[in-house]
Amino acid sequence: MERRWSWVAVLLLLLGAAYGVDGFIGIHWGRFATQSLVPSMVVDLLLQNGIKEIKLSSPSPNVLEALQSSSLGVTVALQNDFIRRPKWTSNVKNISGWVNELLLEPVQRGVPIKTLIILEEPLSLSRTQVWNMTDVFEETVSNLQIYNLSHIRTTTIHSTDVLKNVSKPSEADFRDDIKDRMLQSLKLFKKANSFFMFNLLPIFSVKVNKWPIEFAFMDNNSSFTIVDGKYTYTNAFEFLFDCLVVSLQKAGYPDMEIVIGEIGWPTDGEKHATPENAERFYRGFLKHISEKKGTPRRPNRNIDVFLSSLTDENKVPLQLGPSQRHRGIYNFEGTPKFKIDFTGKGRDIFPVTAKGSVKMPSRWCVFNGDTANMTKVNEQLQLACTFSDCTSLSPSSSCSNLNLTSNVSYAFNMFYQTSNQDQKNGGCYFAGLGALTTLNPSVGTCEFPVEILTAEKVDGGIQIPFYIGYDRSGGHALRSSQTPQVLFIALSFLYLIKQLGYFV
Ligand SMILES: *[C@@H]1O[C@H](CO)[C@@H](O)[C@H](O)[C@H]1NC(C)=O
Ligand SMILES: *[C@@H]1O[C@H](CO)[C@@H](O)[C@H](O)[C@H]1NC(C)=O
Ligand SMILES: *[C@@H]1O[C@H](CO)[C@@H](O)[C@H](O)[C@H]1NC(C)=O
Ligand SMILES: *[C@@H]1O[C@H](CO)[C@@H](O)[C@H](O)[C@H]1NC(C)=O
Ligand SMILES: *[C@@H]1O[C@H](CO)[C@@H](O)[C@H](O)[C@H]1NC(C)=O
Ligand SMILES: *[C@@H]1O[C@H](CO)[C@@H](O)[C@H](O)[C@H]1NC(C)=O
Ligand SMILES: *[C@@H]1O[C@H](CO)[C@@H](O)[C@H](O)[C@H]1NC(C)=O
Ligand SMILES: *[C@@H]1O[C@H](CO)[C@@H](O)[C@H](O)[C@H]1NC(C)=O
Ligand SMILES: *[C@@H]1O[C@H](CO)[C@@H](O)[C@H](O)[C@H]1NC(C)=O
């Protein structure tokens, strides 16, 4: 009798695992930034905030080391360009090489890696397919088996643009041009007992679909709703989630588990991207998730989610616009930008602040105001923005209303801070147009930041500030006419990259 009950218990447990009864609210920590918090500080920050899962953009050794023996569940991604890196791709099949080096070794040292994401958004509209995903996926899964790592679940991350634009979830389906490849992937996910990981960006989706902004929030305040048969949609999240549910159904996988790989709200860089709106979005969203509401087509269910992101990333590519670099719940130095209760209980609280981050001296680089040669001024402005992040100057952003002098000053300062207030190599030279100041030049809502000391300076970890030779930002190649300071920076980074491998 007892025995029979224990089997029932086991069965329930298994079912529970399959349907994510122990749902979680995790956080995505992307590190495409010139300055980054120290990994051990981040681990501490998450633990203090009660966050139990972390997702990383790459298996950077120094970050994994900090997660060693921690109680956090770890999800690591292998990005498209990672797999494209020469070390691995001289032989695409050298998957055994990186499974060994980047997964087995950390796992043996006690890094709790649970999930491996192979390729991020490979079927997005903005990507060209380089690898046959099937090959990479199968090879990886079989290598995980060889190394006794089958407990690591393997999946691929997809964004909303793998779906057609539709006016109702019942019409949803995967895009025609990727249908075959998606079906192949789904077959692999199923075979590997894996799940579908989905990235959602409500502020972006309401724009694409021309829905009112209220529909992006989850507090049921939108007078615009979408009725689809017996289902009513009051927000973009449930709409898009159910579009995926229906698409999976049509593909023959009605029960495939869906995990949200990234969801969040930016605080700058476009209209509606403000800390107030971010606070409002997260409040509604986290409440919805923690109350296990599910969606109209999958009601009363747990949904595992990763919030995006922990901090801003000033080197992230801008395919979806300037706000992409302002998705942090925390700013660079680890203070929260707005109130958020990670437990979803809706308490009116700020989360715990990162402890121990060290700011650089209160020193700014500004424009000296010499407008005699505007060609030169514009050239230097461009230069500064090319190698730093000027997205806060873009329309509807926190610094979009500056006058010319402040505009140039902002750019100069961003460059100066990005290069760690580099003095001896002329970090504030700008062909004679730069001037150092200890008076904070911030104007109104537009903050001129002072950066933190970078991770590698504090803990000796690996952090590559710039991608040179591989252009993620769709931006700018080095031109020979640019000033020596840029060449110096380029050379130092090339040297660093050579020294440290290719990790971010
Ligand atoms: C495969 O990767 C391993 C681990 O980095 C490396 O030692 C080995 O040389 C690589 N093999 C080939 C054929 O590239
Ligand atoms: C990828 O490779 C698999 C097996 O090697 C093959 O069946 C499939 O058709 C290929 N897919 C594409 C899109 O080339
Ligand atoms: C995997 O486990 C088996 C059985 O425990 C063992 O013989 C084998 O050496 C392990 N392989 C690796 C790569 O650790
Ligand atoms: C959906 O609509 C947006 C905006 O019109 C467009 O950019 C995007 O390509 C469309 N997506 C698909 C899958 O057709
Ligand atoms: C949302 O608001 C509408 C009308 O304002 C109401 O009928 C509905 O019950 C609300 N839904 C929830 C889940 O609170
Ligand atoms: C609810 O929506 C109305 C417009 O429909 C808006 O004016 C109001 O600010 C919204 N409420 C909240 C809490 O944001
Ligand atoms: C203005 O600056 C540009 C670029 O630095 C330079 O080529 C040009 O000669 C300058 N013009 C004058 C009048 O100094
Ligand atoms: C530009 O704005 C700054 C900050 O508000 C102000 O100090 C400065 O006088 C302005 N310059 C001009 C030329 O208007
Ligand atoms: C400030 O810089 C931004 C971005 O470079 C530009 O679009 C804008 O026109 C500039 N504003 C002024 C007043 O020069």
Side-chain angles (χ1 to χ4, degrees), residues 373-376 379-380:
N373 184 343
M374 276 312 291
T375 314
K376 192 162 86 175
E379 229 173 59
Q380 295 302 314

Side-chain angles (χ1 to χ4, degrees), residues 403 405-406 443:
N403 61 29
T405 315
S406 294
V443 186

Side-chain angles (χ1 to χ4, degrees), residues 304-319:
D304 292 342
V305 301
F306 288 98
L307 307 182
S308 177
S309 297
L310 185 68
T311 59
D312 285 348
E313 294 172 81
N314 61 4
K315 297 305 288 177
V316 115
L318 295 173
Q319 280 128 343

Side-chain angles (χ1 to χ4, degrees), residues 6 23-24 47 63 159 168 226 229 236 268 294 318 350 392 404 418 442 449:
S6 63
F24 63 73
L47 291 174
V63 180
S159 63
K168 290 173 182 169
I226 294 172
D268 202 1
L318 295 173
F350 281 104
S392 293
L404 177 71
T418 295
S442 300

Side-chain angles (χ1 to χ4, degrees), residues 357-460:
S357 77
V358 181
K359 273 203 171 191
M360 283 187 277
S362 293
R363 202 158 53 189
W364 294 262
C365 175
V366 294
F367 175 38
N368 66 10
D370 177 1
T371 51
N373 184 343
M374 276 312 291
T375 314
K376 192 162 86 175
V377 172
N378 280 322
E379 229 173 59
Q380 295 302 314
L381 172 84
Q382 288 306 321
L383 178 69
C385 288
T386 299
F387 292 97
S388 67
D389 175 42
C390 293
T391 48
S392 293
L393 291 174
S394 48
S396 306
S397 303
S398 57
C399 303
S400 55
N401 294 321
L402 299 184
N403 61 29
L404 177 71
T405 315
S406 294
N407 221 10
V408 177
S409 288
Y410 183 87
F412 284 8
N413 184 59
M414 289 311 276
F415 181 93
Y416 179 67
Q417 304 295 339
T418 295
S419 46
N420 293 315
Q421 301 192 352
D422 185 0
Q423 278 300 97
K424 59 180 184 298
N425 301 296
C428 188
Y429 178 57
F430 295 109
L433 299 177
L436 282 174
T437 177
T438 51
L439 294 175
N440 189 339
S442 300
V443 186
T445 56
C446 174
E447 198 203 340
F448 284 50
V450 169
E451 275 300 351
I452 55 166
L453 289 172
T454 53
E456 74 263 36
K457 289 198 174 162
V458 179
D459 72 351

